[in-house]
Amino acid sequence: MNRGPAGPDGGHGGPHGPGRGGGHGGGHDEPEYFGDGGAYPPGAHAPHSPHAPHDPYAANNPGHTQAFQINDDHYPGDAAPLPGPVGPRLRWKDLLKGIVTAPDRTFLQMRDYTVWGPALIVTFLYGLLAVFGFDGAREEAINATITNAIPIVLMTAVAMVISFLILGVVTHSLARQLGGNGNWQPTVGLSMLIASLTDAPRLILAMFASGDATFVQIIGWATWVAGGALLTLMVSRSHDLPWPKALGASAIQLLALLSLIKLGTL
């Protein structure tokens, strides 16, 4: 029996039809462009064929690798997530001591905890004594009867609490405008504590001496500078801000404290 010439792959019209060298595959009239074993048009190469031309700008080549991450909730431009607390909440004694002895660690540790209890109590007690730190108010309170003196002292204490609260809110708002990411309650509470604690030495001296005395004024300026340093450090730690921006956010509160308390215009 005569047999026709074998195809290039050794087959002759077997079950797979004509050989692939004729440009037809699988018995179809059109070339196969799909599938792993399909043929490609003349001059074309399979994307992963060893004979395909090298494209240096193609994805997944060295230097042009495209990385994809699944289930990533953060997109370019999103703010970084806030870091978690660096330690447990400090008790009020450790908090007050830490503001004076270890402010950096204390502010960083308390940036996510509210301190309303110590802030309100300390500021209120400071306000009760503030009347006796000003010569005119002290003489008026001392010369007044008990019935008249108590309202004066209480009103001064309440005014101090409200004033320091408002100043703390202003400081927090400015820190946010400058790119800070802290919470308002810890910022306001810590700012109230800083304002009260740093002015306590001047207030105690002024209660027993004239507020215009030279050494009282020197202590007052020194504690104001210390209060500014502590307030700047607190805003920097609570809002993750560099110190120039933290100082800018604290500027209004520092100027207000200088005008109301240090210069005796309250």
Side-chain angles (χ1 to χ4, degrees), residues 70-220:
I70 301 176
N71 296 331
D72 191 356
D73 295 332
H74 301 286
Y75 301 92
D78 286 352
L82 294 178
V86 298
R89 180 196 296 269
L90 295 174
R91 300 182 62 182
W92 69 273
K93 291 182 179 180
D94 297 328
L95 173 62
L96 299 182
K97 180 181 178 181
I99 291 176
V100 178
T101 60
D104 189 31
R105 177 185 59 81
T106 300
F107 295 147
L108 187 61
Q109 185 169 345
M110 295 299 292
R111 61 165 290 165
D112 295 311
Y113 298 111
T114 59
V115 292
W116 287 124
L120 294 175
I121 293 174
V122 170
T123 306
F124 186 78
L125 293 176
Y126 170 84
L128 291 177
L129 300 177
V131 174
F132 304 98
F134 303 101
D135 295 338
R138 178 176 55 193
E139 293 178 0
E140 182 180 353
I142 292 176
N143 295 330
T145 60
I146 298 296
T147 305
N148 294 331
I150 291 179
I152 296 175
V153 174
L154 292 178
M155 289 177 60
T156 304
V158 173
M160 281 294 183
V161 172
I162 296 175
S163 299
F164 286 6
L165 178 64
I166 294 175
L167 291 176
V169 172
V170 171
T171 298
H172 168 78
S173 299
L174 291 176
R176 279 288 196 174
Q177 293 294 325
L178 294 175
N181 58 7
N183 297 320
W184 75 275
Q185 297 185 56
T187 302
V188 175
L190 289 173
S191 70
M192 295 173 68
L193 285 173
I194 292 171
S196 301
L197 292 176
T198 55
D199 191 54
R202 182 207 63 83
L203 178 60
I204 293 174
L205 291 176
M207 290 175 60
F208 300 99
S210 173
D212 297 330
T214 302
F215 71 95
V216 175
Q217 291 292 322
I218 294 175
I219 294 297

Side-chain angles (χ1 to χ4, degrees), residues 200-262:
R202 182 207 63 83
L203 178 60
I204 293 174
L205 291 176
M207 290 175 60
F208 300 99
S210 173
D212 297 330
T214 302
F215 71 95
V216 175
Q217 291 292 322
I218 294 175
I219 294 297
W221 281 104
T223 55
W224 180 77
V225 173
L230 289 177
L231 191 60
T232 301
L233 179 61
M234 184 274 292
V235 173
S236 176
R237 292 295 178 263
S238 297
H239 287 267
D240 289 330
L241 288 174
W243 74 264
K245 289 187 176 182
L247 178 60
S250 308
I252 292 181
Q253 181 168 352
L254 291 175
L255 292 176
L257 292 176
L258 178 63
S259 176
L260 296 177
I261 298 175
K262 307 298 182 181

Side-chain angles (χ1 to χ4, degrees), residues 56-70:
Y57 299 101
N60 297 325
N61 279 331
H64 298 279
T65 302
Q66 293 182 353
F68 297 93
Q69 185 174 359
I70 301 176

Side-chain angles (χ1 to χ4, degrees), residues 1-12:
M1 180 183 295
N2 294 330
R3 303 184 63 180
D9 56 355
H12 179 77

